Amino acid sequence: MQNIDLHNHSRVSDGLLEPSALIELAVSNRVTAFALTDHDDLEGLDEAAQTARRLGLEFINGVEVSVTWRQHTLHILGLNIDPTHAGLREGLAGIREGRMERAEKIAHELAQAGIPGALEGALRFAHNPRIVARPHFARYIVEQGLARDVSSVFRRFLVKGKVGYVQHQWAPLQSAVDWILAAGGIPVLAHPGRYTMGSTTMNELLDEFVRVGGRGIEVVTCNHTREQVEYFADQAVRRQLLASRGSDYHGPGESRLQPGQLPPLPPQCMPVWHAWGNPLTH
Ligand code: AMP
Ligand code: MN
Ligand code: MN
Ligand code: MN
């Protein structure tokens, strides 16, 4: 039985495990093909690929690109990319620069709300100083005893409408898709069920995603309900988009599901892994 998981984070971005530990976990969970998809950075791919090769796990190079579309933050997975591609690497470097500026603003907001030292605190949790992400702030706030867990920090401080939320301009959708395609990868709209938009806007997003060169939708992912899986499977079939499956695993204690612990893709879907044609995953 194949068990393919194409969305996972290491501590190169906001995950908790190092790339090799993530691969070991995937193997012990009987994952048969695995993509590392850190946010806006490719630094973990070599280590993950080496460990995967050693343990006989099929490995797919991936990335999760932060995008601003209208007023929404979207995540676009680039699957089966060439991690040496200069255009992709430059695009991601640009996104990373913006991250540090945003982190300074978040820390400023939190200080005003009575939480000092948040930039230094978040940086202590960020193994890769190029990627300071909201979960690093959340871990610092939990460590300070100011919240019970990471998800309650998000609810209280880090989401739109709360004190520590800073509006930020990520990459344009067209650029993210272009970089991924140029690097030989497949652009996949990550966790579409998580975006807070009505069905009209979602339809406009999917129209535009297809128009700019998007190729797939993440149909099965950790926080999709059964209804959302059916809805996005239907959208994928209608729009002839490939379907992906990924846990969006971030680490022990922070993710409900471990790598590979997901329902299968609905049978009407065309799996994205068919597009890179490795006979092992057919
Ligand atoms: P950033 O890219 O720095 O804005 O951080 C986004 C990351 O924060 C996502 O990739 C998730 O890992 C995490 N995240 C976003 N919203 C939540 C939430 N409500 N609860 C827990 N983690 C979240
Ligand atoms: Mn994340
Ligand atoms: Mn995401
Ligand atoms: Mn993710």
Side-chain angles (χ1 to χ4, degrees):
M1 253 272 283
Q2 63 180 18
N3 182 359
I4 296 175
D5 190 329
L6 301 177
H7 189 163
N8 293 278
H9 296 273
S10 77
R11 64 189 198 181
V12 163
S13 62
D14 57 359
L16 292 168
L17 301 178
E18 46 189 22
S20 54
L22 199 52
I23 296 294
E24 283 161 15
L25 178 61
V27 168
S28 72
N29 282 357
R30 299 176 189 281
V31 171
T32 58
F34 180 95
L36 177 63
T37 53
D38 275 311
H39 299 284
D40 308 323
D41 204 308
L42 308 172
E43 204 59 33
L45 295 174
D46 273 353
E47 179 188 320
Q50 274 178 34
T51 308
R53 203 174 310 123
R54 184 164 54 78
L55 300 180
L57 172 64
E58 183 185 344
F59 181 73
I60 293 101
N61 287 305
V63 66
E64 184 172 17
V65 184
S66 308
V67 158
T68 300
W69 178 77
R70 300 186 182 170
Q71 78 278 30
H72 301 276
T73 296
L74 307 178
H75 286 169
I76 308 298
L77 295 166
L79 297 178
N80 205 33
I81 46 157
D82 168 7
T84 68
H85 188 270
L88 174 64
R89 297 185 72 86
E90 281 162 29
L92 297 177
I95 300 179
R96 290 195 299 263
E97 280 172 29
R99 276 191 175 271
M100 189 48 91
E101 291 164 28
R102 182 189 66 148
E104 287 164 6
K105 291 184 197 156
I106 293 174
H108 181 75
E109 297 292 316
L110 290 172
Q112 305 235 300
I115 304 175
L119 183 59
E120 297 70 23
L123 278 167
R124 271 198 289 110
F125 285 91
H127 272 271
N128 171 7
R130 308 194 303 184
I131 299 285
V132 193
R134 283 181 290 163
H136 302 123
F137 284 94
R139 289 168 196 155
Y140 168 70
I141 290 170
V142 172
E143 180 202 56
Q144 295 301 296
L146 300 169
R148 186 166 37 94
D149 55 23
V150 161
S151 66
S152 76
V153 180
F154 269 89
R155 276 198 304 277
R156 283 166 57 197
F157 300 107
L158 297 178
V159 293
K160 224 173 231 183
K162 300 298 159 118
V163 282
Y165 183 80
V166 169
Q167 188 68 38
H168 187 72
Q169 195 69 28
W170 302 104
L173 179 61
Q174 175 79 72
S175 306
V177 168
D178 285 348
W179 298 329
I180 293 165
L181 290 173
I186 300 180
V188 172
L189 180 66
H191 44 62
R194 214 182 294 170
Y195 307 129
T196 47
M197 55 179 72
S199 60
T200 306
T201 309
M202 178 53 73
N203 269 309
E204 289 167 3
L205 167 59
L206 292 172
D207 287 346
E208 188 168 331
F209 183 60
V210 170
R211 197 162 61 237
V212 301
R215 300 271 315 278
I217 309 184
E218 192 172 51
V219 170
V220 172
T221 183
C222 66
N223 50 14
H224 274 179
T225 62
R226 214 171 306 161
E227 290 72 28
Q228 285 172 325
V229 170
E230 286 308 316
Y231 177 80
F232 290 110
D234 181 58
Q235 287 287 342
V237 169
R238 281 178 204 228
R239 295 169 182 276
Q240 295 187 290
L241 285 163
L242 299 163
S244 191
R245 174 179 187 260
S247 57
D248 202 4
Y249 182 70
H250 281 73
E254 288 192 18
S255 294
R256 205 168 42 84
L257 300 177
Q258 288 196 3
Q261 296 181 335
L262 290 162
L265 282 181
Q268 69 272 32
C269 290
M270 171 65 85
V272 65
W273 46 89
H274 286 193
W276 54 79
N278 185 326
L280 286 176
T281 44
H282 277 222

